[in-house]
Amino acid sequence: MIAGLVTGDLLAAALAVALTAKLAPATSWGAWDGGLAVLALTVSLHACLGIYGCWGPCPIDRLRLRAQAALLLAVMAGLALAVWKAPDNLMTALLLGAALFVIGYYTEALVRLFLMRTGLWGAPTILVGTPETCIAMARRLLREPKLGLRPVGLISNRLDESGAEEAPVPVLGGLADLARLSGLAEVVIVTAADLVPAQGRAAVSLSEVRAPHVVVSENAGGLPNVGLHTRNLGGAVGLEVRFDLFRPGHLALKRWIDLAVTVPLLALAAPLILVLALAVKAADPGHAFYRQRRVGRDGRELNVLKLRTMYADADIRLREHLERNPAARAEWERFFKLKDDPRVLPMIGQFLRRSSLDELPQLWNIVCGGMSLVGPRPFPDYHMASFDPGFQSLRVSVPPGLTGLWQVSSRSGGDIDVQQEEDLFYIRNWSLWLDIYILLETFPAVLTSRGAR
C-alpha cells in the first residue's frame, strides 16, 4: 500500500516537473537540473506529514497536508532559483507547487481507488462495544472506505446467532477475550458509552487493549467532526468546537474567493455556453435559457439560470407520466428526480444533464451574489418542504452553491435523508479546505457522470 502511494507521488512529481518545464521559460526551469531533487523532496515531505498512512487524516485533512507540502516545496524551489538561478523567475516555483498539488491529488485518488478495489486499502480495524453500535460502525466504515479503516471483526457480548448473522464482519469473541484479540488489528475502535462505569465497573477497559492505535467513538449528533481539538480539563476531556462558517468575516471571505474564481471562469465559459444554447434551440423551439425559481439564502426567492434540457411543455408531460406510472410517482416522491424522465430533450438534453453543463449559466448567479461556488444546492419549494423545519432554517442560513458535497458523492443517487445528512455535514464542518476538496471532486464526478440524471 505504501509502495503504491509513493509510486503515485513520484509519478505526480515527474509530471509536475515536466509541465513546469513546458510552461516556464527554458532559461529558468528547463535548464535547472533539479528534477530528482523535487522527487526526493516530495516523498520526504509527504512521509514527514503522515500522508503515506491510509488512516488518520481524513480526505479533507489529506488535502490540506498535500497543500502544505506543495507550498514548502515551492518555497525551497524558489530559494534555490534565487540563489543559483534568476530571482525574477520565482513564479516558476509557484507553478511547480500548484502543479504538484493538483496532479498529486488526482494521482493519489487513482492509486487509492485501485487499492480499495484490490482490498489493500485500509488499516485492519476491530470494533469493540455494544452489538448495535459495532454493527452500525462497521457498516459505515465499509460504506466509506476513503476513511482508511477496514473493519475485520468485532468484539462484543450479548450477540446472539441472529445478530451475528446481521453483522457485516465476523464476530471474533466476547469482551473477556479483548486483551488477546485486540492485538490482531492495527486500530481498535471502542464506543465511548462502554467506557463509562456502570454499577462500579466499565464494560470495556482500555488497559486491556493491545492494538497500537485506539479510537474512542462517539456519535457526535450536531457537533462538527472535522478539525476537532482536544483540551485538557483536569480529570475530564474537552472538545473544542468551532462553527467556522458563521464566524465573523468568513462568509465575506468566501464571497471574495467566489468572485476571484468565477469572473475569469465565466469569461472562459461564455463561448461554450453560446454553442450549447444554439444546440438547445435547434432541438426544440423556444428560449435556450430559463429561470427556475429556487429557495435562496434566508428563504428569499432565487431565479436560477440554466440551459434548457426539457421540452417547453415539461410540466404537462411530467404530470401525465406520473398519473400513468405509480412506480415513477414513488421514485419522484423519494428523489424528486426520474431515471427515465419523459421531459428531457433527446440527445442534447441528456448530454447537458449528464455532463452538468446545463448549470454553467449559474456562474452569473454567483457573480450577482445569489449563489456561491460551493454550498447546498438551491432546491425548489416542493423539495425544501420535504425537510423538517429545523433543517430548512439551517440550510437557508448559508448561500446555495453551484456544487456541493451531495453532488460529488451521491448526486442523484441519494434520497432526501442522504441529502440532509451531507448538507448538514457541510454546514457544520465548513472550511476553505472543504470547499477546495468539493471543487476538486466535482471534476471527476462530472466527467464520469457519477449518479447524474
Side-chain angles (χ1 to χ4, degrees):
M1 180 193 66
I2 295 178
L5 293 173
V6 172
T7 302
D9 273 346
L10 290 174
L11 175 61
L15 291 174
V17 169
L19 179 63
T20 306
K22 185 72 173 178
L23 298 178
T27 55
S28 62
W29 178 260
W32 185 50
D33 54 353
L36 291 178
V38 171
L39 269 64
L41 279 172
T42 299
V43 174
S44 300
L45 288 171
H46 288 179
C48 291
L49 291 172
I51 292 178
Y52 293 137
C54 64
W55 86 280
C58 70
I60 302 162
D61 285 333
R62 295 178 74 88
L63 176 72
R64 176 179 54 81
L65 293 173
R66 280 194 167 274
Q68 291 177 357
L71 180 60
L72 284 172
L73 190 139
V75 170
M76 294 178 185
L79 291 173
L81 284 171
V83 173
W84 289 295
K85 208 64 186 176
D88 59 340
N89 287 317
L90 296 184
M91 287 300 296
T92 300
L94 295 178
L95 176 61
L96 171 65
L100 180 62
F101 171 64
V102 175
I103 297 174
Y105 176 82
Y106 288 120
T107 303
E108 181 190 313
L110 291 174
V111 171
R112 184 173 58 232
L113 179 62
F114 171 78
L115 292 173
M116 285 192 295
R117 289 185 173 179
T118 54
L120 300 175
W121 179 260
T125 302
I126 290 177
L127 310 172
V128 179
T130 57
E132 300 80 11
T133 306
C134 288
I135 291 175
M137 178 61 70
R139 288 173 176 165
R140 177 178 293 275
L141 295 180
L142 291 171
R143 191 169 63 246
E144 302 182 34
K146 282 186 178 182
L147 296 175
L149 296 168
R150 178 167 49 88
V152 296
L154 59 89
I155 300 174
S156 180
N157 290 338
R158 310 191 319 273
L159 192 64
D160 55 24
E161 291 185 3
S162 60
E165 291 177 357
E166 293 179 1
V169 293
V171 179
L172 303 178
L175 295 178
D177 304 312
L178 179 59
R180 176 176 60 87
L181 295 174
S182 60
L184 301 176
E186 182 179 347
V187 181
V188 167
I189 298 179
V190 182
T191 56
D194 291 303
L195 298 176
V196 178
Q199 297 180 349
R201 187 176 186 276
V204 178
S205 173
L206 290 182
S207 62
E208 298 179 13
V209 179
R210 300 292 184 263
H213 302 286
V214 182
V215 177
V216 177
S217 169
E218 176 63 55
N219 188 353
L223 296 180
N225 51 3
V226 175
L228 286 176
H229 299 281
T230 59
R231 292 291 180 257
N232 186 346
L233 302 178
V237 176
L239 292 177
E240 181 183 348
V241 177
R242 296 183 302 184
F243 291 90
D244 283 344
L245 190 55
F246 302 110
R247 296 179 73 188
H250 280 203
L251 282 175
L253 174 62
K254 185 175 171 67
R255 173 63 180 155
W256 281 108
I257 294 175
D258 283 340
L259 289 174
V261 175
T262 304
V263 170
L265 191 60
L266 180 59
L268 292 173
L272 175 60
I273 294 174
L274 177 60
V275 170
L276 294 174
L278 294 174
V280 170
K281 288 187 71 67
D284 186 56
H287 296 291
F289 300 92
Y290 78 101
R291 296 176 181 269
Q292 188 175 49
R293 292 181 179 179
R294 300 288 180 96
V295 180
R297 190 180 177 192
D298 297 328
R300 295 190 296 266
E301 180 180 291
L302 173 66
N303 290 316
V304 173
L305 281 173
K306 299 186 74 172
L307 283 164
R308 185 164 60 90
T309 61
M310 298 183 180
Y311 288 101
D313 59 346
D315 292 339
I316 298 174
R317 289 172 182 257
L318 175 63
R319 184 173 63 252
E320 293 176 348
H321 181 69
L322 296 182
E323 289 174 353
R324 294 193 306 266
N325 193 328
R329 176 175 291 278
E331 181 185 4
W332 175 261
E333 291 174 350
R334 181 180 180 188
F335 298 101
F336 293 104
K337 292 180 182 288
L338 295 174
K339 185 176 181 180
D340 297 313
D341 198 327
R343 302 171 296 170
V344 179
L345 293 171
M347 296 185 66
I348 183 61
Q350 295 166 352
F351 168 74
L352 288 174
R353 291 168 70 88
R354 287 199 168 273
S355 63
S356 297
L357 291 176
D358 59 320
E359 314 283 1
L360 278 179
Q362 290 167 37
L363 293 172
W364 180 247
N365 287 111
I366 298 174
V367 172
C368 294
M371 292 177 61
S372 177
L373 273 172
V374 182
R377 283 292 292 161
F379 285 150
D381 287 325
Y382 63 81
H383 198 151
M384 286 291 290
S386 64
F387 298 117
D388 63 81
F391 174 67
Q392 290 183 45
S393 176
L394 179 64
R395 200 177 193 274
V396 299
S397 67
V398 300
L402 177 65
T403 185
L405 187 60
W406 171 48
Q407 279 65 41
V408 302
S409 51
S410 304
R411 295 193 82 184
S412 300
D415 58 19
I416 58 173
D417 292 331
V418 174
Q419 295 166 21
Q420 177 166 323
E421 178 183 351
E422 294 185 351
D423 284 342
L424 280 173
F425 181 94
Y426 174 79
I427 295 171
R428 291 168 177 165
N429 295 279
W430 177 85
S431 68
L432 291 179
W433 294 113
L434 179 55
D435 275 3
I436 294 171
Y437 171 79
I438 292 173
L439 286 173
L440 289 174
E441 287 291 305
T442 296
F443 293 106
V446 169
L447 290 174
T448 59
S449 300
R450 187 170 67 235
R453 294 183 189 175

